């Protein structure tokens, strides 16, 4: 009989456990989605543009040269100049920071407030759920852009107030999403076991219920950033968002609309910036939904 030495090397031909975590699996699924990867590349490009773009552009955003007003795109002015002779390329680059700031901050605020209200409504139910759910229904009863216009009209036109208004109108979307997820999560056995050992509601909510309810919020948050950028541009176009001379994309479109025929580049490039940014977030959001939602997987 053949004996195996105690210190013999392990058999490398034995099968290795290939188990991967859910987030690693989601990342693999996301990478396989070429359209989603393109969207992520667009988003990363504009994020980098927002951070490092203002450091490398040579023209000042408010540097007026009336002798060069409404100049077509050229080697000196890649995107041309506006009616004040300002370099449009510099203003579009600086506008990326403002638009992304509004998109991210408004959605972060919506996620925080909406998640807190949604988790309270879904976990405690009854009267608390009724009050919070009816509050969401009231907000959703108004068209989002009209409600945002009303809020900014009350607070006063400014980029800060536009950010607040956009955050408020998106709260019900996250609140209802979290509420529905919490209603299913709180029925799980591990939640029942946590209650049985006397875990407090606060610890239970923030240690178990909320972390297991956040997957759909990640997807919705990505798509909501795209909507927030459009809403900020709409408010800026109406004169209720960023005020002159801030280089916000919607405000740039509003200032350039009378030059659409004679100097179309004054509107084309800010419009393209809005379109590409929103497209990037939408494509990436769709890819995240396919990667994170078990129902979307084959």
């Amino acid at each position: 009989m053949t004996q195996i030495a105690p210190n013999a090397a392990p058999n490398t031909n034995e099968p290795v456990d290939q188990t991967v975590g859910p987030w690693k699996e989601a990342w693999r699924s996301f990478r396989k989605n070429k359209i989603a990867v393109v969207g992520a590349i667009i988003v990363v490009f504009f994020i980098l543009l927002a951070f490092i773009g203002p450091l490398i552009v040579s023209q000042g955003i408010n540097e007026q040269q009336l002798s060069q007003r409404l100049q077509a795109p050229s080697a000196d002015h890649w995107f041309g100049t506006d009616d004040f002779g300002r370099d449009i390329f510099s203003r579009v680059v600086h506008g990326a920071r403002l638009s992304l700031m509004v998109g991210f901050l408004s959605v972060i605020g919506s996620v925080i407030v909406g998640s807190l209200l949604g988790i309270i409504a879904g976990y405690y139910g009854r009267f608390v759920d009724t009050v919070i759910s009816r509050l969401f229904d009231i907000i959703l009863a108004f068209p989002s852009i009209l409600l945002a216009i009303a809020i900014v009209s009350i607070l006063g036109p400014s980029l800060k107030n536009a950010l607040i208004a956009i955050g408020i109108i998106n709260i019900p979307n996250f609140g209802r999403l979290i509420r529905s997820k919490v209603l299913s999560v709180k029925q799980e056995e591990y939640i029942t076991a946590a209650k049985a050992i006397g875990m407090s509601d606060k610890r239970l909510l923030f240690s178990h219920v909320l972390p297991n309810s956040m997957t759909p919020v990640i997807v919705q948050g990505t798509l909501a950033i795209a909507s927030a950028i459009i809403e900020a541009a709409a408010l800026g176009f109406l004169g209720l968002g960023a005020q002159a001379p801030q280089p916000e994309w919607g405000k740039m479109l509003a200032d350039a609309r009378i030059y659409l025929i004679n100097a179309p580049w004054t509107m084309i490039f800010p419009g393209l910036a809005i379109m590409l940014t929103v497209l990037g977030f939408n494509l990436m959001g769709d890819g995240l939904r396919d990667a994170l939602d078990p129902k979307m997987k084959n």
Side-chain angles (χ1 to χ4, degrees):
M1 179 180 296
T2 305
Q3 296 182 351
I4 302 175
N7 58 349
N11 185 2
T12 56
N13 294 325
E14 293 180 358
V16 181
D17 185 9
Q18 297 294 330
T19 304
V20 296
W23 290 105
K24 193 172 183 179
E25 182 183 355
W27 169 241
R28 289 181 178 178
S29 178
F30 182 84
R31 286 189 303 174
K32 294 178 181 178
N33 190 332
K34 302 303 181 183
I35 296 179
V37 172
V38 171
I41 292 173
I42 295 174
V43 170
V44 171
F45 170 77
F46 276 98
I47 291 176
L48 292 176
L49 188 69
F51 278 98
I52 67 176
L55 302 178
I56 60 177
V57 291
S58 58
Q59 302 286 339
I61 57 174
N62 295 318
E63 184 179 336
Q64 300 183 13
Q65 299 180 21
L66 296 180
S67 61
Q68 299 185 22
R69 64 189 302 269
L70 300 178
Q71 294 290 313
S74 63
D76 295 329
H77 303 284
W78 292 356
F79 290 177
T81 60
D82 62 8
D83 54 324
F84 288 102
R86 297 174 297 192
D87 185 69
I88 295 177
F89 176 74
S90 299
R91 293 179 63 78
V92 168
V93 169
H94 281 79
R97 178 175 295 182
L98 294 179
S99 295
L100 290 177
M101 179 188 71
V102 171
F104 278 103
L105 293 182
S106 62
V107 169
I108 290 173
S110 300
V111 168
I112 293 174
V113 177
S115 296
L116 288 175
L117 293 176
I119 197 173
I120 291 172
Y123 185 78
Y124 290 103
R126 299 184 180 181
F127 177 74
V128 174
D129 185 19
T130 301
V131 172
I132 295 177
S133 296
R134 296 297 79 77
L135 176 62
F136 290 161
D137 291 339
I138 292 172
I139 296 176
L140 291 172
F142 296 92
S144 58
I145 189 63
L146 293 182
L147 182 58
I149 291 173
I151 294 173
V152 175
S153 298
I154 295 172
L155 299 178
S158 71
L159 187 64
K160 176 183 176 181
N161 292 337
L163 188 155
I164 294 173
I166 295 170
I168 291 174
I169 64 178
N170 283 313
I171 287 175
N173 297 326
F174 293 100
R176 297 178 73 176
L177 188 64
I178 283 290
R179 175 186 174 275
S180 62
K181 188 66 176 177
V182 169
L183 289 174
S184 61
V185 169
K186 74 176 185 178
Q187 304 299 327
E188 298 291 339
E189 293 182 357
Y190 64 88
I191 299 297
T192 304
K195 290 181 180 179
I197 63 175
M199 183 176 292
S200 65
D201 286 347
K202 180 179 178 181
R203 184 179 176 186
L204 185 63
L205 287 174
F206 290 98
S207 298
H208 297 286
V209 177
L210 186 60
N212 289 285
S213 304
M214 291 302 293
T215 299
V217 174
I218 296 174
V219 178
Q220 181 62 30
T222 306
L223 299 173
I225 292 174
S227 299
I229 291 173
I230 293 179
E231 289 159 357
L235 292 173
F237 187 85
L238 296 174
L240 298 174
Q243 301 297 303
Q246 289 180 306
E248 195 272 328
W249 292 336
K251 179 61 176 174
M252 292 174 66
L253 288 176
D255 295 339
R257 65 186 185 276
I258 61 176
Y259 304 106
L260 177 60
I261 304 300
N262 297 327
W265 56 86
T266 57
M267 291 193 69
I268 289 175
F269 292 109
L272 281 176
I274 296 172
M275 184 199 74
L276 290 175
T277 306
V278 172
L279 177 64
F281 277 106
N282 283 334
L283 294 179
M284 189 173 71
D286 289 340
L288 288 174
R289 180 191 59 195
D290 296 342
L292 296 174
D293 189 353
K295 297 179 182 179
M296 303 297 294
K297 297 179 180 179
N298 295 326

